[in-house]
Amino acid sequence: LFIPSIHVYTHKDGYVRINLPEANNKNYELKFFEEDGRFLFDLKDIRQSFFTLDKSIFFHAGWFNFELFENGILVEKHKFYLPKDF
């Protein structure tokens, strides 16, 4: 049974939602990886509590991994699935 992250997840519209309730008070960084561990990109010094990433940033459907850092400390390592558009 897969339990999605409460911070980074795919919404039913297929876009990646980011939910960081205390973004104004903390220094968040997100790193994204292919399923095989290859680094894709990162978002540093995130100050928005809630925002959406366009699925086209990821170039293909499938599983992606991420690491969420709070003030330089890893607080979550998880994955999400981007479905293929029909």
Side-chain angles (χ1 to χ4, degrees):
L1 180 65
F2 176 75
I3 299 173
S5 167
I6 61 170
H7 299 292
V8 180
Y9 54 92
T10 309
H11 193 258
K12 62 184 174 183
D13 61 9
Y15 292 93
V16 178
R17 301 277 175 102
I18 312 296
N19 184 15
L20 303 169
E22 298 183 46
N24 291 335
N25 302 324
K26 298 183 179 180
N27 183 9
Y28 284 110
E29 179 180 0
L30 268 169
K31 295 183 179 186
F32 293 92
F33 304 88
E34 290 280 358
E35 187 176 21
D36 65 5
R38 287 180 291 140
F39 177 76
L40 289 173
F41 64 93
D42 62 352
L43 302 173
K44 296 180 180 182
D45 196 28
I46 301 169
R47 295 293 175 195
Q48 287 182 282
S49 294
F50 183 78
F51 60 97
T52 302
L53 294 179
D54 192 292
K55 54 191 162 189
S56 66
I57 295 171
F58 296 94
F59 299 115
H60 64 82
W63 287 101
F64 294 89
N65 298 318
F66 71 88
E67 295 176 354
L68 175 63
F69 294 85
E70 179 184 304
N71 298 323
I73 299 169
L74 180 65
V75 293
E76 184 176 19
K77 188 173 183 176
H78 210 330
K79 63 183 178 179
F80 60 91
Y81 183 77
L82 278 177
K84 187 174 184 176
D85 288 337
F86 292 99

